[in-house]
Amino acid sequence: MGGLMLVFFSVLAVLFAALVIALRQPMRCALALVSHMVCLSAIYACLGVHVVAVFQVLIYVGAVMVFMVYTIMLLDDRDDSFRYRFSGSSLPALAVIPLLVGGVWLVVDRSSGWSLSVAAADRQLFTFVSFAGEFMRRYWFHFELATVLLLVGLLAAWTAVKEGNHG
């Protein structure tokens, strides 16, 4: 059952990723990206990495995507991209779908004997304390850099909106 759910959410994640590329309106793209990230969280949950699944929802869906949707809502809604439902990238995205389906089929076919017992065995070795310690040892600089980049993006969006109102 777990393997079937894993394949189901993987196919959904690929579908929503293709919609992010194919859709033209920014808000619909953002909602497709939110759906993609929720599917990724479900994949992590199926693999038994529940802490990463929760972080995926809390950090990416709950914080980053809310910020992106808020920024999209601040943009000018008179943009002509709202007139067309799909973007010019729709045809290349549709051309890639059979390749992705074939790749997923090959992976599922080759791993039909593979079970999720490896993830269940590693679950006992993973604790929040070990994750936090390893994260702060290796990735503290990357985390702080992402924080600074998000702040710069926020300031740039605020400046663009402020300049647009005065112009």
Side-chain angles (χ1 to χ4, degrees):
M1 182 67 174
L4 183 63
M5 295 298 288
L6 184 66
V7 170
F8 173 72
F9 285 117
S10 299
V11 169
L12 273 180
V14 170
L15 175 71
F16 286 126
L19 283 175
V20 169
I21 296 170
L23 293 174
R24 186 155 178 93
Q25 290 100 356
M27 187 60 78
R28 289 186 181 174
C29 289
L31 292 176
L33 187 58
V34 166
S35 301
H36 173 75
M37 290 181 181
V38 169
C39 288
L40 288 179
S41 178
I43 290 170
Y44 292 139
C46 288
L47 291 174
V49 191
H50 301 290
V51 173
V52 177
V54 169
F55 281 156
Q56 177 77 22
V57 171
L58 289 178
I59 294 173
Y60 289 109
V61 176
V64 174
M65 285 310 299
V66 168
F67 173 70
M68 289 179 70
V69 167
Y70 182 72
T71 304
I72 290 169
M73 290 169 53
L74 286 175
L75 295 174
D76 188 12
D77 62 345
R78 293 172 289 182
D79 185 19
D80 65 344
S81 68
F82 289 100
R83 294 183 190 155
Y84 307 105
R85 185 174 184 125
F86 295 103
S87 71
S89 303
S90 297
L91 290 178
L94 290 175
V96 170
I97 289 175
L99 296 173
L100 290 173
V101 170
V104 169
W105 181 261
L106 285 175
V107 168
V108 169
D109 188 40
R110 287 185 183 170
S111 66
S112 60
W114 181 71
S115 68
L116 295 177
S117 62
V118 175
D122 287 342
R123 191 179 324 158
Q124 295 172 353
L125 302 175
F126 183 79
T127 63
F128 185 73
V129 174
S130 66
F131 170 76
E134 193 65 27
F135 180 79
M136 291 309 290
R137 258 193 302 281
R138 289 189 181 188
Y139 301 109
W140 67 270
F141 178 74
H142 303 93
F143 181 76
E144 292 300 325
L145 183 64
T147 305
V148 170
L149 289 175
L150 284 172
L151 178 65
V152 168
L154 177 68
L155 291 174
W158 180 64
T159 303
V161 168
K162 192 167 180 91
E163 290 295 322
N165 289 338
H166 292 293

